[in-house]
Amino acid sequence: MTETLFDLSFLLAVPVWLLMIFAPAWRVTSRVARSPLTVVPILVVYLALVLPVLPELWTLVSEPTLTKLQDLVEIADGAGAVWAQIIAWDLLVGQWMFLEARRLGIHPLVMGPLLVFTILLSPFALPVFLVLRAVQGVRIARRDPQRSEPRES
């Protein structure tokens, strides 16, 4: 059961990622990306995985140590719960990046690979996007100094 839930946590995120990467201009994609509810099914999986290891999780979060984290992820449900949390967080970060890119007019051919990078290694992809966002913001300000906010898509 744990392995199925582990797999399901990512599979529930895939449709949103596919929309943002392969159908960025479709108006449905923007509506989906604006919703924080996309992570709710993943969080349901998280709850199913975390409830059996709640005492271990509480021990970790009440007095965090590396050893307690290692103890939690040595338990299959604990590792699965951590994975589901990462998947949900990465999806929210990806949705924000997608929406910001649309707002700033960053081309989908730039964002597609960056969103794939976010799926794989979001702690590296987010700073790359933040630099890209800053550069694009400067470009917009130079083009139109009167405009306080970049265009909304």
Side-chain angles (χ1 to χ4, degrees):
M1 177 70 158
T2 299
E3 188 144 346
T4 301
L5 291 173
F6 176 89
D7 293 340
L8 185 60
S9 65
F10 181 70
L11 292 174
L12 290 168
V14 167
V16 181
W17 285 112
L18 290 174
L19 283 173
M20 293 188 299
I21 294 166
F22 294 109
W26 192 29
R27 87 189 142 126
V28 171
T29 303
S30 286
R31 273 192 297 196
V32 169
R34 287 184 204 295
S35 175
L37 298 178
T38 56
V39 298
V40 170
I42 303 164
L43 294 178
V44 169
V45 171
Y46 169 81
L47 285 173
L49 288 164
V50 85
L51 286 176
V53 294
L54 207 48
E56 292 85 352
L57 177 64
W58 182 252
T59 299
L60 169 63
V61 299
S62 61
E63 292 181 44
T65 66
L66 181 57
T67 302
K68 291 176 186 174
L69 177 60
Q70 288 171 318
D71 292 344
L72 178 65
V73 297
E74 283 180 2
I75 304 165
D77 285 337
V82 169
W83 182 250
Q85 181 177 337
I86 291 168
I87 295 299
W89 180 255
D90 286 355
L91 183 57
L92 283 176
V93 168
Q95 287 175 235
W96 175 79
M97 288 170 52
F98 171 83
L99 293 170
E100 275 295 284
R102 299 278 298 161
R103 183 179 71 84
L104 292 167
I106 298 172
H107 199 280
L109 290 177
V110 172
M111 282 309 298
L114 189 51
L115 288 171
V116 171
F117 190 34
T118 305
I119 295 167
L120 300 172
L121 293 168
S122 66
F124 293 106
L126 180 59
V128 170
F129 177 74
L130 293 175
V131 169
L132 180 61
R133 179 179 178 247
V135 168
Q136 186 68 3
V138 168
R139 285 183 185 156
I140 290 170
R142 284 187 183 153
R143 273 192 309 232
D144 188 359
Q146 301 291 0
R147 197 158 106 195
S148 60
E149 280 293 311
R151 71 174 171 83
E152 189 72 36
S153 303

